[in-house]
Amino acid sequence: MFTQKVSRVLATDVHIDEIDVSFWSKFPDASIDLNNVIIIEAYPNSKDTLLKAQNIYLAFDIFSLIEKNYAIKKCYVENAKGHFKIDKYGKNNYSIFKEDTVGSKESTALQFQLNEVVFKNINLKYDNKQSKQLYHVQVHKLTNSFEMNNELISTKVQGGFKINNIFIENTSYVRNKNIQLNIAINHNSESQKTVLQPSDLVIEKARFNLHGIIQQEATATDLNISFKGHKTNIQSLLSLLPYDVYKKFSDYDSRGIVYFNGKVKGKVSAIKSPNIQVNFGFEDASFFHKETTQQITEANLVGTYSNGAKNGTTTSFVSLKNINGKLNNIPFNGNFLMKNFDKPYLEADLIGNFDVNALLSLSGIQNIKQARGTIFTNFNLKGFLADLTDKKRIQNTQLSGAIKVENVNLDLVTLNYPLNDLSGEILINKNNIAVSN
């Protein structure tokens, strides 16, 4: 009987192995327990699976059972796999409800008055052929509570999941990141406009406040999203990097004011990318190695990342301005710019007087027997990264300045012989190099 009622509402086939009524599965609510459920996707004549769930619980007030009226208030989907698709023409495979049964007398016996859906242990795949986007997501637990008023849907989403991968045009943008959500959304199904209310997003160790507007169009998604880091530190920002990179910096920590904010604005489609602007930096911060306790103090930096005027890799750049601080209470300062990520071009300058032992200890180099002396640097660099790493083309870069070594003594386990009393100066002028003792 229940399967027949479901079939009257859905425009696709549903297979259910077992149906039970339980007073304990989702106590204090009663529930209709559906075991081993398969829902076929909505494409005509397709036999592919949209959702395969070990358990679906449809919870309702116990008095609904007495009245023989299925007023479903909550739905729990557990231990499931889903494959959601949009084909190249923009047609989706998940519009499974019959439009002509909404509000009809035939469908009133089965009332889905849902105000909460809970997902637990769900493996999801979203494949949008039209915009060439592919998402692989593992949901740990997500609670979606909502209110519907005609075309307006107000939704709150809380919980956690893991993004295994996000591909856009066969390029992986996000991989193996744990996410926690606490967001509020107002969605208009008629205009396809989604307003993201002030919400919280946690990516690994980094927490962000975000808000904005998402407009779904026929062939693109128009984004206008702003975000700001909350109680940010260097470790939380580094956690955004790929794990293999982040792991190399796990021995470092920070104190002081670290900020991170930005905006994503523009259309996302198979041929368009939004503009991305990110501002970051720190003020009067300290960075230290957890094991050696060596630290940089009174550190400041103003950083900017953007994908530029063309919203792509050729116009992307990262700028680090007014880098300054103290290592072993000795000041240093510099700047760094890299632009055109397809063909990286660098500009950098550095002025500083560095204690060799402090520098090696901060870098985390192990097995130092002895390290003494100072290195003074004052240089400028301009050129393409490919030229800098090619002996035949390094003359194409612009190098100037000096590097001076004074009374350096260095003995490492990895060195066959210690280096003692090294002193000298390297002078660089328009790529002409002079070495003096």
Side-chain angles (χ1 to χ4, degrees), residues 56-286:
I56 296 179
Y57 303 96
L58 304 176
F60 54 92
D61 187 278
I62 191 171
F63 295 105
S64 297
L65 183 65
I66 297 173
E67 297 169 1
K68 297 182 179 181
N69 179 26
Y70 296 94
I72 307 301
K73 300 291 186 180
K74 298 179 182 179
C75 177
Y76 301 81
V77 182
E78 300 179 1
N79 308 311
K81 292 182 179 180
H83 190 177
F84 298 85
K85 307 174 188 175
I86 296 179
D87 64 20
K88 62 181 180 180
Y89 305 106
K91 185 175 178 60
N92 72 66
N93 75 334
Y94 47 85
S95 295
I96 59 175
F97 290 96
K98 293 179 179 177
E99 294 182 6
D100 58 353
T101 61
V102 178
S104 70
K105 293 181 179 180
E106 188 178 30
S107 63
T108 54
L110 179 63
Q111 300 180 51
F112 281 90
Q113 300 174 2
L114 286 175
N115 54 39
E116 185 173 289
V117 179
V118 180
F119 300 95
K120 186 176 181 180
N121 190 25
I122 312 293
N123 189 299
L124 293 179
K125 183 178 179 181
Y126 171 75
D127 188 1
N128 189 326
K129 299 294 186 184
Q130 190 176 57
S131 62
K132 297 183 180 179
Q133 298 180 41
L134 178 63
Y135 298 3
H136 292 274
V137 176
Q138 180 66 42
V139 175
H140 305 309
K141 183 177 180 180
L142 277 180
T143 300
N144 185 348
S145 55
F146 51 88
E147 296 179 1
M148 290 183 284
N149 183 11
N150 297 323
E151 71 276 2
L152 184 64
I153 304 172
S154 299
T155 305
K156 291 184 179 180
V157 181
Q158 293 178 307
F161 59 93
K162 182 178 182 179
I163 297 177
N164 296 324
N165 231 322
I166 292 180
F167 290 94
I168 300 176
E169 290 190 300
N170 298 319
T171 299
S172 177
Y173 281 82
V174 182
R175 187 167 176 260
N176 296 330
K177 295 296 180 185
N178 291 295
I179 311 291
Q180 289 288 327
L181 288 178
N182 185 2
I183 64 175
I185 297 171
N186 293 331
H187 176 72
N188 189 306
S189 60
E190 184 175 325
S191 66
Q192 290 296 301
K193 180 180 179 179
T194 300
V195 177
L196 178 62
Q197 303 293 340
S199 302
D200 291 332
L201 169 69
V202 180
I203 306 175
E204 294 295 336
K205 297 181 180 180
R207 181 180 175 184
F208 301 95
N209 306 126
L210 63 162
H211 65 276
I213 296 173
I214 303 169
Q215 179 69 58
Q216 188 66 50
E217 300 177 354
T219 59
T221 303
D222 195 3
L223 303 176
N224 189 354
I225 305 293
S226 297
F227 55 89
K228 182 179 181 181
H230 178 76
K231 294 183 178 180
T232 310
N233 59 35
I234 190 64
Q235 281 300 103
S236 64
L237 293 184
L238 290 172
S239 71
L240 300 175
L241 298 172
Y243 179 74
D244 290 343
V245 178
Y246 165 68
K247 187 168 59 174
K248 296 178 182 179
F249 294 96
S250 60
D251 291 331
Y252 295 88
D253 209 339
S254 69
R255 298 188 184 96
I257 300 173
V258 179
Y259 65 89
F260 186 96
N261 60 73
K263 193 166 190 175
V264 179
K265 187 175 183 179
K267 299 181 187 297
V268 180
S269 71
I271 59 174
K272 294 181 179 179
S273 296
N275 182 256
I276 303 172
Q277 299 282 341
V278 180
N279 304 304
F280 59 94
F282 42 83
E283 301 173 9
D284 195 22
S286 298

